[in-house]
Amino acid sequence: MDTPDINRRQKQKLGYTYTFLSDPKAEVIRRYDLLHRGAGPKGTDIARPAEFLVDSTGTIRWVNLTENIAVRARPEQVLEAFERGEQATPQ
Amino acid sequence: MSAGAKKSWNWFLWIGFLLALAGFFSYTFFAQFPITRDFPWANLLLFAVGGILLVLGLFRAFGKPRVYRGKILGPILAILGILMFGFFSYVFFYVLRQVPPSTGAPRVGQKAPEFTLSDQDGKDVSLRDLTSRSKAVALIFYRGFW
């Protein structure tokens, strides 16, 4: 829900190399049914944490919808899901 | 010992209280490490050791009131410790679990709904742009920068 500007500064500060997308009106968050009403700062709507792995055809290969906001997918979980997908699709 | 003799400092109470305080405020630190973030082991351990010391301190204060201080302060610190533990548990085990069910979220095997959003430089990026240039894309919906 942060603006591109905030994302740019945060990305620089933390040294991340991947893309940060901004969804200020929560349109994509709504389309993915991930809106958490009133849970953001000052009762604003915010995304619930969620992670998806999408392959090059746009198909979802792995989903993680946490039951506790503090608990998020770990990087190794995502990599493991990616490797499983690689094995399942013979090149 | 005469009535005016100086009583010993009941350090069990203070250290116990400080540990409970640390248990209450240190989650933002422990949240940096997955093992202490996904389940608050470190915080609960701090509360447990703090609680034991507070109980021992109360036994000292009330069992040997002529030797140790803390008959008034002890119960106050113990109650504050219990309140902090209660509030921490309420937030971690109840509030943080109030997550919407997201039954309509896309599932494995479905096509990820297409979208176009601005990246950190204000440039429009679509999901198709991302998937077409790599083997896989991890979409991470986050909050609070983690």
Side-chain angles (χ1 to χ4, degrees):
Chain A
M1 308 281 276
D2 299 310
T3 61
D5 209 36
I6 293 174
N7 282 341
R8 184 170 44 76
R9 268 181 270 147
Q10 193 68 15
K11 185 179 154 155
Q12 280 170 354
K13 195 172 121 196
L14 298 171
Y16 291 137
T17 53
Y18 45 83
T19 307
F20 279 76
L21 299 173
S22 178
D23 189 9
K25 292 180 191 157
E27 286 160 322
V28 179
I29 293 167
R30 261 176 253 267
R31 202 173 306 160
Y32 278 67
D33 193 21
L34 301 174
L35 196 72
H36 194 166
R37 282 179 197 289
K42 294 178 186 163
T44 50
D45 296 342
I46 197 171
R48 56 111 76 223
E51 298 87 14
F52 298 84
L53 190 73
V54 184
D55 71 12
S56 54
T57 70
T59 306
I60 293 172
R61 291 304 188 94
W62 173 83
V63 181
N64 182 60
L65 296 171
T66 184
E67 288 175 359
N68 184 325
I69 290 158
V71 182
R72 314 282 173 88
R74 302 180 186 187
E76 55 268 28
Q77 279 178 278
V78 184
L79 289 174
E80 208 184 285
F82 172 69
E83 275 157 21
R84 271 202 309 273
E86 283 285 275
Q87 284 159 11
T89 7
Q91 297 296 309
Chain B
M1 192 185 288
S2 71
K6 201 168 181 292
K7 292 193 209 174
S8 296
W9 186 56
N10 195 341
W11 65 271
F12 278 2
L13 287 174
W14 283 103
I15 301 296
F17 179 70
L18 287 179
L19 288 175
L21 211 59
F24 188 70
F25 285 109
S26 59
Y27 185 72
T28 45
F29 171 74
F30 289 118
Q32 295 175 74
F33 316 103
I35 194 159
T36 47
R37 177 191 66 203
D38 294 357
F39 192 86
W41 302 108
N43 299 80
L44 295 183
L45 187 70
L46 286 168
F47 276 121
V49 178
I52 291 168
L53 288 177
L54 279 167
V55 169
L56 291 174
L58 286 176
F59 270 108
R60 272 184 166 181
F62 285 88
K64 295 179 183 167
R66 291 164 150 273
V67 185
Y68 290 105
R69 304 164 70 106
K71 269 178 92 170
I72 297 167
L73 206 60
I76 295 173
L77 294 181
I79 288 168
L80 287 175
I82 291 168
L83 287 176
M84 286 191 289
F85 173 66
F87 188 72
F88 180 86
S89 304
Y90 167 72
V91 170
F92 197 90
F93 297 107
Y94 180 76
V95 176
L96 290 180
R97 284 174 195 268
Q98 302 308 300
V99 192
S102 298
T103 44
R107 293 159 194 247
V108 172
Q110 293 179 345
K111 289 276 174 195
E114 184 55 38
F115 58 79
T116 303
L117 290 172
S118 297
D119 72 1
Q120 64 280 345
D121 303 313
K123 199 173 99 226
D124 277 356
V125 175
S126 71
L127 179 61
R128 194 164 293 122
D129 293 338
L130 296 169
T131 52
S132 64
R133 66 176 190 226
S134 47
K135 281 187 171 178
V137 173
L139 288 181
I140 301 168
F141 293 82
Y142 65 91
R143 62 205 246 185
F145 292 125
W146 111 68

